[in-house]
Amino acid sequence: MRDVIADPLQWAEHVFGGAELGDHRRTRRLVHSAARIGAHPEKPLPQVLDWNELRGFYRLCNERRVTWEV
């Protein structure tokens, strides 16, 4: 049985906290965004993130130096 992490921020830190995205601010944004999204996975992004957070998240997703490679 897998361990369950009930706190979305703790989960996001565990899963994404070690991401090397070329700048610690990108990793911090990824963790923050993932925690907010993980807390409300049933809601669309505009209902989970405020306008500035959403713009920052989209910028992060569009950053060419940020890839899905492990």
Side-chain angles (χ1 to χ4, degrees):
M1 180 178 222
R2 292 193 281 173
D3 293 333
V4 175
I5 300 175
D7 177 41
L9 183 56
Q10 185 182 7
W11 166 80
E13 280 286 345
H14 176 75
V15 174
F16 300 108
E20 295 179 13
L21 305 177
D23 187 319
H24 71 279
R25 293 172 294 184
R26 288 187 192 110
T27 303
R28 188 171 59 225
R29 179 170 304 279
L30 175 60
V31 168
H32 173 79
S33 299
R36 298 285 300 269
I37 294 165
H40 302 283
E42 75 286 357
K43 294 183 178 180
L45 291 178
Q47 289 181 8
V48 175
L49 303 171
D50 69 31
W51 175 242
N52 290 321
E53 293 168 334
L54 186 59
R55 285 181 43 199
F57 182 66
Y58 285 147
R59 269 195 321 269
L60 175 67
C61 292
N62 287 321
E63 173 60 49
R64 66 178 172 78
R65 292 170 284 192
V66 175
T67 68
W68 298 103
E69 296 176 14
V70 178

